[in-house]
Amino acid sequence: MTTEAEEPTLTIDELAARAGVTVRTVRFYSSKGLLPPPVIGARRVGHYGPGHVARLALIEELQQQGMTLAAIERYLGQLPPDLTPHDLAIHRAVVASWAPDLVETVSRRELERRAGRPLAPEDIERLTAMSVVVHEDGDGDGGDTFRVDSGLLRLGVQLLDVPLSQDAILAARKVLTEHSRAAAHELAQLFRGEVAERDARDVKSLSAHMHPLVVQALLTTFQRSLREELSEWLRGSGAG
């Protein structure tokens, strides 16, 4: 487990399970310098922390986007060395925004492997409520199968440990979806006005250039706004 102070307390087996990869994969990434070395504790046992989990998630996301190992190494090499797990999660969110919608049908065992943890019936229920998974009929051998939105699975699994009620999470999802669609609609209207008289090739070129800029702008703006709102809330409650 990870302590409140986020100390490196995971063994390599626990790290691999948490990240949904094999121990061999963790060792391979470490040998390539993609993961920082663990903290060596008693009996020469290496311990890993949230930063390793977040970096592994980012590496896996980059791989899913089709990046080669050399390209991933260059990408990680350009990141500041003092990034927090939160910062790495933000980087992964930006990378994941480029992933195409991918819904797959998997077994219960494969779903848990990808989740990086066992899933209790109540976990499956929450993931279903969040539209991350859909429970299908058995495979004929008594096993359960699920349709899973691969792009949302890691986020959904992380939300299982957030101390919020399911109603609050679903309400937050509704707010984010509605406001994101409204912002996308307004931006689309704005861009249509700019390119209405242009050649179709110019329109495609503008779209290709604007997409990453818009994603980064929305993410940065929302992150700053949320930080300001939380700071005001903490000051008002006397917790800051």
Side-chain angles (χ1 to χ4, degrees):
M1 292 181 59
T2 301
T3 67
E4 288 291 325
E6 297 191 331
E7 296 175 354
T9 61
L10 299 173
T11 66
I12 191 170
D13 296 275
E14 292 169 334
L15 172 65
R18 180 76 62 86
V21 300
T22 65
V23 170
R24 182 178 180 181
T25 297
V26 174
R27 287 180 173 145
F28 175 73
Y29 289 156
S30 297
S31 70
K32 295 296 182 181
L34 302 181
L35 285 177
V39 174
I40 303 301
R43 298 189 297 276
R44 303 293 297 171
V45 175
H47 295 284
Y48 301 82
H52 293 92
V53 177
R55 187 168 287 260
L56 266 177
L58 177 56
I59 293 170
E60 289 293 300
E61 193 66 56
L62 292 169
Q63 276 204 322
Q64 290 179 19
Q65 295 298 315
M67 291 182 66
T68 64
L69 195 63
I72 292 175
E73 188 173 356
R74 288 194 299 272
Y75 181 94
L76 295 177
Q78 295 172 353
L79 299 179
D82 57 346
L83 287 182
T84 66
H86 174 76
D87 296 328
L88 290 168
I90 295 296
H91 274 274
R92 181 190 170 274
V94 174
V95 173
S97 70
W98 300 104
D101 293 336
L102 181 60
V103 177
E104 301 175 88
T105 300
V106 300
S107 66
R108 173 68 173 266
R109 181 177 180 180
E110 176 62 14
L111 177 62
E112 292 187 333
R113 187 193 71 79
R114 296 189 184 190
R117 58 187 279 181
L119 296 172
E122 56 268 25
D123 295 331
I124 296 292
E125 187 176 326
R126 293 192 75 179
L127 291 174
T128 300
M130 290 186 283
S131 301
V132 175
V133 303
V134 176
H135 190 192
E136 295 191 325
D137 294 332
D139 58 12
D141 296 321
D144 292 333
T145 59
F146 300 86
R147 280 193 294 115
V148 54
D149 187 325
S150 300
L152 290 177
L153 179 59
R154 193 179 294 274
L155 173 62
V157 170
Q158 290 175 335
L159 286 173
L160 294 177
D161 297 324
V162 174
L164 289 174
S165 68
Q166 182 168 305
D167 288 343
I169 291 175
L170 294 179
R173 179 173 179 262
K174 181 179 179 181
V175 169
L176 288 171
T177 300
E178 290 180 351
H179 285 275
S180 296
R181 286 176 177 169
H185 177 74
E186 293 293 330
L187 288 170
Q189 292 291 98
L190 174 64
F191 295 149
R192 284 194 189 100
E194 286 292 313
V195 303
E197 304 299 327
R198 298 190 187 186
D199 184 87
R201 286 175 299 182
D202 293 334
V203 175
K204 290 182 179 180
S205 177
L206 178 62
S207 176
H209 282 86
M210 289 305 298
H211 191 176
L213 296 177
V214 169
V215 170
Q216 184 175 356
L218 286 173
L219 187 60
T220 302
T221 303
F222 178 76
Q223 186 181 12
R224 289 175 179 171
S225 298
L226 183 59
R227 187 185 300 119
E228 291 171 1
E229 288 289 333
L230 291 175
S231 295
E232 291 180 8
W233 173 52
L234 291 173
R235 283 197 298 271
S237 65

